[in-house]
Amino acid sequence: GELLAHFRSRESPRFFAGFEASAETGRAQREFFPAETARLVECAEDVMRGRWSLLGYGALEFGAEVDWLRDPVSGARWPLDYHADVVVVRGDGSDIRVVWELNRLGQLLTLARAYAVTGDERYAAEVLRQVRSWRARNPVGFGPNWACAMEAALRALNLVAALRLIRHSPQLDERSFSILLASLDEHGAHIRRNLEFSYIARGNHYLSDVAGLFWLGALLPELEGARAWREFGLRELQRELETQVLADGADCESSTGYHRFVTELFLYSFLLARANGIEVEERYWLKLRAMLEYMRAYLRPDGRAPLVGDTDGGQVLPLVRRTGDDHDYLLALASVVFDEPRFKTVDAMPEEVLWLLGAEGALEYQNLPATARAPASQAFPAAGTYIMRAGDLYLLFNASGAGLKGRGAHGHNDALSIEVAACGACFLRDPGSFVYTRDLAERHLFRSTAYHSTVVVDEEEQNTTDPQQPFRIGDEARPRVLEWESDETRDLIVAEHDGYARLAAGGVTHRRAVRFDKRERRWLIEDTLTGAGAHLFRFVFHLAPGAEARVFSETGVEVCDRITGARLFIISEDMRARPALEPRWSSRDYGEKQRSQAVCWTVRATAPLVARWALVPLSASAPETERHELIESLKPTRLSEA
């Protein structure tokens, strides 16, 4: 009882500003976000009824008593085996990622925020009921929910956040408090015993482990292991920032989805350190700022992120459910943290600003002038990411490797692929990830070369894959950039890879050059395939969902965005084979997919082979005469003259 009273009244350590002044934050939430507040309360009521959303699957039914060991999508259930013996990839349609998302307990944040906004004690009572249920059915060290230290860490973060918001509730009695405190102590000890450390390569898993230890140690100094956890966690966080983040600010795993996740881990952890007077050297803040500069650079003109590599929808503190391609809320936070107007990409304040930075931070955001100037073309050589931009025109050129020092856990077979947006629409888009272990065939399909806007040779992958290994990919391609130039009128990128050097019919090197003419508003692409022997070459342009293609000649395709009416013309200068429209899928959130198409030119030829393309956008407001003139100007003879 004394400990609970102490916990309620103590002024140190401090959590995020909005959580500390939860009553004031609740009032500000209602004032600034009336529609979002109504949705929050509605979602909290759904949780009370045993129903809430997970990842891209939408709302799922869990019932009055949650089965924490059951995959709610496939219905498969895991036994309470010793955590190191748990089989993660079972090949029966089950997906441990969905089970883990359920057991991260993000729904408790929904309830706790609703409690802060409404004061309704039912929400606090439900938080504590689910905590008791979870602990009773997940004995420490047994079952799938202890099989990965990362999951224990992320669950612990959500638990301490929810506890912070309901700490003054009369529902939090001595028994419930002791259960919560004991569970958090068990989480910290389990993480420390089972760190996902490797001398070969470390990624977001180990980073989550040490972040979890830092948070637990910093926020619960009453626990016996807290000081050691805090010191170790902060030291390792800083070391991993130097190790895992490349020189130009990109995460090492060749994935924009995991770049978002890792940026959250560092940003939230450093804010927590600052709130408690824990020193983080300036060089680490500068490296974090570089991560946000990279994020700002890769966002498309529509504010969405290109889904390069894997995207599993993971969030560190899911205050608001964000789709996999929603990243700009982090830039909004960073605009206040770094006092940087260039990071203020949207006028509407995200809810995270209020809850993490408090009412004062929200006011700072509102007073921060928004910059109207869009990012310019930028190169990120360490990441292998090159952005060509001018006004509403955007092309991302991907020359990244397999990622994670060549291990390729979250990289795709996407060397020299492109993503294109123009005139308010996205036309060529990375397909995303869809699922991991639920369907290994789908897993490999979405990461395949044929699902990206690049060149496929002899139906082979650029990097070797193992059908039974969802998180391994070869490192044969090793793309390298040969030339990059950028000025006010044009950009030029030239890169190549050796992923097809191993072909039995004769090795092939793929070199791709993209020239961006900013005045003429067009991209010219040249694919050069050198080597020996006859091969089947497929030139793929993977369209975004919502983009419809129409073949209007043997050399040309018109792609129209259904929403904006904008168009993109893809014209071949060399191919004499009629392009085909092939069915594809795209996913912007884990577990969700939408139908899309790919425009493919296929030719059997002897290397070397050169193929050239023009990509020219046209706004929806352009008159039909301009469309006909454009098509006439894009005839192969005209392109050759140009």
Side-chain angles (χ1 to χ4, degrees), residues 17-331:
F19 283 71
E20 288 296 319
S22 57
E24 180 185 3
T25 302
R27 288 191 295 271
Q29 169 78 28
R30 294 193 297 270
E31 177 185 350
F32 292 137
F33 308 102
E36 292 85 349
T37 301
R39 284 197 295 271
L40 170 64
V41 174
E42 183 182 350
C43 288
E45 288 297 322
D46 280 345
V47 176
M48 296 291 293
R49 291 188 285 266
R51 174 184 172 85
W52 60 87
S53 295
L54 284 185
L55 302 168
Y57 290 102
L60 300 172
E61 298 288 346
F62 300 97
E65 195 61 49
V66 180
D67 186 344
W68 303 104
L69 306 178
R70 177 179 173 272
D71 173 357
V73 176
S74 70
R77 200 172 185 277
W78 267 261
L80 281 174
D81 293 339
Y82 179 63
H83 71 90
D85 296 331
V86 170
V87 177
V88 174
V89 184
R90 307 198 313 186
D92 59 356
S94 61
D95 191 345
I96 195 71
R97 175 68 185 89
V98 181
V99 177
W100 284 344
E101 185 68 22
L102 166 64
N103 286 272
R104 289 181 184 181
L105 303 182
Q107 71 275 10
L108 301 190
L109 276 181
T110 301
L111 292 166
R113 288 180 66 223
Y115 174 73
V117 169
T118 66
D120 190 332
E121 292 293 339
R122 294 181 305 127
Y123 300 143
E126 180 64 15
V127 169
L128 297 170
R129 190 190 72 82
Q130 288 202 23
V131 169
R132 291 192 296 269
S133 168
W134 191 91
R135 188 164 185 257
R137 289 160 178 78
N138 290 275
V140 63
F142 290 88
N145 300 316
W146 294 102
C148 175
M150 171 186 181
E151 297 305 318
L154 295 176
R155 180 166 55 248
L157 305 190
N158 288 327
L159 283 170
V160 296
L163 175 60
R164 203 69 174 178
L165 289 177
I166 66 166
R167 67 188 185 278
H168 295 300
S169 169
Q171 305 298 323
L172 184 62
D173 56 17
E174 293 176 19
R175 176 173 174 267
S176 296
F177 180 63
S178 66
I179 289 174
L180 250 172
L181 208 57
S183 183
L184 289 168
D185 187 54
E186 291 166 352
H187 276 74
H190 182 81
I191 297 164
R192 191 63 182 90
R193 286 193 302 267
N194 297 280
L195 291 170
E196 295 163 278
F197 178 87
S198 168
Y199 286 104
I200 300 172
R202 297 181 297 279
N204 67 88
H205 277 244
Y206 182 66
L207 189 62
S208 299
D209 299 348
V210 298
L213 288 174
F214 172 66
W215 284 44
L216 287 170
L219 294 171
L220 296 169
E222 296 84 0
L223 296 180
E224 185 177 33
R227 181 175 179 178
W229 296 345
R230 185 189 72 231
E231 292 176 354
F232 173 80
L234 181 61
R235 183 175 68 248
E236 290 300 289
L237 269 171
Q238 294 176 150
R239 184 176 79 161
E240 293 307 302
L241 180 60
E242 298 282 17
T243 302
Q244 294 191 30
V245 179
L246 305 176
D248 47 25
D251 177 55
C252 69
E253 297 188 69
S254 293
S255 158
T256 53
Y258 282 94
H259 181 84
R260 181 186 81 170
F261 179 74
V262 166
T263 302
E264 281 186 332
L265 280 171
F266 285 122
L267 178 59
Y268 296 176
S269 297
F270 285 10
L271 286 176
L272 192 64
R274 190 171 72 178
N276 290 285
I278 300 171
E279 182 184 5
V280 174
E281 292 181 31
E282 181 67 15
R283 62 190 174 113
Y284 298 119
W285 282 100
L286 290 175
K287 195 72 177 282
L288 173 59
R289 180 176 180 135
M291 299 183 73
L292 292 150
E293 292 282 3
Y294 177 60
M295 183 178 290
R296 176 177 180 265
Y298 68 58
L299 290 187
R300 298 192 305 257
D302 64 1
R304 294 288 171 171
L307 298 181
V308 177
D310 278 348
T311 300
D312 78 343
Q315 293 178 253
V316 173
L317 207 63
L319 295 167
V320 179
R321 171 81 181 93
R322 302 288 181 179
T323 56
D325 60 353
D326 186 353
H327 295 196
D328 57 9
Y329 66 97
L330 284 175
L331 289 173

Side-chain angles (χ1 to χ4, degrees), residues 359-493:
E360 184 178 340
L363 184 61
E364 288 181 37
Y365 181 85
Q366 290 178 319
N367 292 333
L368 199 65
T371 175
R373 186 175 180 181
S377 297
Q378 285 180 264
F380 297 88
T385 303
Y386 294 79
I387 313 292
M388 296 178 168
R389 310 184 78 128
D392 63 348
L393 304 183
Y394 168 101
L395 183 145
L396 181 144
F397 186 93
N398 184 4
S400 61
L404 204 65
K405 295 184 178 180
R407 292 175 65 83
H410 293 297
H412 287 188
N413 276 321
D414 53 9
L416 313 193
S417 65
I418 58 173
E419 181 154 331
V420 173
C423 306
C426 181
F427 291 103
L428 303 183
R429 204 186 83 178
D430 190 288
S433 299
F434 184 41
V435 292
Y436 287 164
T437 63
R438 190 184 93 189
D439 188 324
L440 293 182
E442 290 277 271
R443 162 63 170 158
H444 289 298
L445 183 65
F446 273 76
R447 73 195 311 211
S448 69
T449 308
Y451 257 53
H452 294 84
S453 297
T454 185
V455 181
V456 184
V457 182
D458 294 342
E459 305 294 348
E460 293 286 345
E461 296 292 343
Q462 296 170 337
N463 298 293
T464 53
T465 58
D466 182 339
Q468 301 305 313
Q469 296 290 337
F471 300 110
R472 188 170 298 170
I473 197 171
D475 191 29
E476 292 86 2
R478 296 179 179 268
R480 52 200 173 273
V481 173
L482 307 177
E483 190 174 356
W484 164 256
E485 298 175 7
S486 180
D487 59 33
E488 292 183 358
T489 62
R490 67 154 203 164
D491 296 337
L492 173 67
I493 179 77

Side-chain angles (χ1 to χ4, degrees), residues 445-568:
L445 183 65
F446 273 76
R447 73 195 311 211
S448 69
T449 308
Y451 257 53
H452 294 84
S453 297
T454 185
V455 181
V456 184
V457 182
D458 294 342
E459 305 294 348
E460 293 286 345
E461 296 292 343
Q462 296 170 337
N463 298 293
T464 53
T465 58
D466 182 339
Q468 301 305 313
Q469 296 290 337
F471 300 110
R472 188 170 298 170
I473 197 171
D475 191 29
E476 292 86 2
R478 296 179 179 268
R480 52 200 173 273
V481 173
L482 307 177
E483 190 174 356
W484 164 256
E485 298 175 7
S486 180
D487 59 33
E488 292 183 358
T489 62
R490 67 154 203 164
D491 296 337
L492 173 67
I493 179 77
V494 183
E496 64 184 19
H497 76 82
D498 290 328
Y500 300 124
R502 68 186 191 279
L503 297 179
V508 171
T509 295
H510 176 205
R511 176 178 295 185
R512 171 168 278 186
V514 179
R515 184 186 303 274
F516 179 27
D517 189 324
K518 299 175 183 178
R519 290 176 177 170
E520 294 292 327
R521 292 176 59 85
R522 65 184 60 185
W523 293 274
L524 299 176
I525 300 174
E526 183 175 276
D527 287 313
T528 304
L529 296 127
T530 58
H535 301 275
L536 186 69
F537 298 102
R538 301 186 71 209
F539 302 87
V540 180
F541 297 90
H542 191 283
L543 306 185
E548 294 180 335
R550 181 182 69 86
V551 178
F552 64 83
S553 74
E554 286 195 354
T555 59
V557 174
E558 179 180 15
V559 182
C560 181
D561 179 70
R562 286 198 297 264
I563 297 176
T564 66
R567 285 164 285 187
L568 178 74

